[in-house]
């Protein structure tokens, strides 16, 4: 048989072993319609693919006998990209919205922050509350904990505390996530 020619202009993924990139001496070949052709030499497999004017793609390179499939590689890549786009479109990214409170927060400011947090939680987003202790306020952490506990009580009907309050440096943080039933 003559030298096998393949379309060199065809774009391929870096991890895909296609046509001449396949270096295994023997491969298990699956035809375009899904029937197994058995274990063939690399050259025989490439010749079969060329006869059908299709490509040879290695689908399981780590198998004991590597598995190759005869298919239209351009169409295969198109289908893969279509699946990836569809999966990305259906993916829901949860954003964590930050709010900053102070241990000496005024009631009106507290109510405004609470209203904003409830809206975000109702939209299905997580909320992280950061409370910064400045100067000598760090010695009065119980005041900050009271503010956070009051905040937790007010959002407990629509949110669960996914990360308990903890102090890192001079900042106390707590994270809320929306309840699953809502």
């Amino acid at each position: 048989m003559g030298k096998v020619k393949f379309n060199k202009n065809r774009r391929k993924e870096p991890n895909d072993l296609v046509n001449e990139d396949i270096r295994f001496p023997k491969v298990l070949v699956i035809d375009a319609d899904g029937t197994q052709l058995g274990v063939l030499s690399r050259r025989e497999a490439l010749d079969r693919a060329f006869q059908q004017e299709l490509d040879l793609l290695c689908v399981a390179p780590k198998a004991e006998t590597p598995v190759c499939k005869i298919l239209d590689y351009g169409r295969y890549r198109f289908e893969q990209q279509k699946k990836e786009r569809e999966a990305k479109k259906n993916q829901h990214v949860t954003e964590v919205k930050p709010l900053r409170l102070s241990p000496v927060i005024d009631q009106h400011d507290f109510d405004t922050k609470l209203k904003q947090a409830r809206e975000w939680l109702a939209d299905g987003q997580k909320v992280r509350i950061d409370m910064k202790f400045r100067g000598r306020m760090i010695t009065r952490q119980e005041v900050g904990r009271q503010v956070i506990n009051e905040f937790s009580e007010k959002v407990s009907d629509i949110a669960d505390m996914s990360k308990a309050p903890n102090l890192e440096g001079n900042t106390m943080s707590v994270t809320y996530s929306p309840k699953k039933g809502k």
Side-chain angles (χ1 to χ4, degrees):
M1 295 224 146
K3 185 166 170 103
V4 178
K5 291 186 201 173
F6 290 100
N7 186 356
K8 300 244 186 219
N9 296 330
R10 185 167 289 171
R11 298 178 89 180
K12 70 177 204 71
E13 282 294 304
N15 297 335
D16 285 347
L17 293 175
V18 184
N19 299 331
E20 296 296 328
D21 294 341
I22 299 170
R23 297 285 178 212
F24 304 109
K26 298 269 185 206
V27 292
L28 176 64
V29 180
I30 300 173
D31 203 0
D33 57 7
T35 59
Q36 279 194 17
L37 301 178
V39 178
L40 302 173
S41 71
R42 175 180 166 268
R43 179 58 33 209
E44 287 177 81
L46 287 170
D47 287 340
R48 291 258 177 117
F50 179 67
Q51 288 168 359
Q52 298 176 27
E53 296 181 359
L54 295 172
D55 299 297
L56 188 67
L57 172 71
C58 191
V59 290
K62 291 190 166 86
E64 191 173 315
T65 303
V67 180
C68 293
K69 192 168 186 175
I70 297 174
L71 46 73
D72 181 2
Y73 185 71
R75 186 176 189 190
Y76 169 78
R77 281 299 308 142
F78 174 74
E79 294 293 329
Q80 293 294 101
Q81 290 169 345
K82 193 171 165 185
K83 285 180 190 173
E84 289 170 10
R85 280 194 303 270
E86 195 66 32
K88 196 173 186 179
K89 187 167 69 171
N90 294 335
Q91 190 177 42
H92 178 70
V93 178
T94 305
E95 189 177 348
V96 179
K97 295 287 199 171
L99 274 178
R100 182 172 282 176
L101 296 180
S102 168
V104 289
I105 192 168
D106 187 50
Q107 186 61 44
H108 177 71
D109 293 338
F110 179 84
D111 293 340
T112 305
K113 302 269 186 177
L114 178 66
K115 181 182 172 193
Q116 184 65 62
R118 289 182 70 84
E119 285 176 16
W120 286 336
L121 288 165
D123 287 343
Q125 297 173 331
K126 289 185 177 183
V127 175
R128 185 183 73 237
I129 304 295
D130 292 328
M131 182 173 293
K132 233 182 180 80
F133 293 96
R134 297 184 179 195
R136 293 187 341 198
M137 281 189 221
I138 194 77
T139 61
R140 301 290 309 268
Q141 292 177 21
E142 65 276 357
V143 175
R145 285 200 191 275
Q146 286 175 350
V147 172
I148 286 181
N149 288 341
E150 183 183 350
F151 194 90
S152 296
E153 287 174 24
K154 305 263 181 163
V155 297
S156 64
D157 59 327
I158 61 168
D160 293 323
M161 192 182 301
S162 57
K163 185 177 161 217
N166 67 326
L167 186 69
E168 291 182 20
N170 64 344
T171 305
M172 186 178 291
S173 298
V174 60
T175 304
Y176 301 98
S177 57
K179 286 192 175 179
K180 299 292 181 196
K182 296 280 177 189

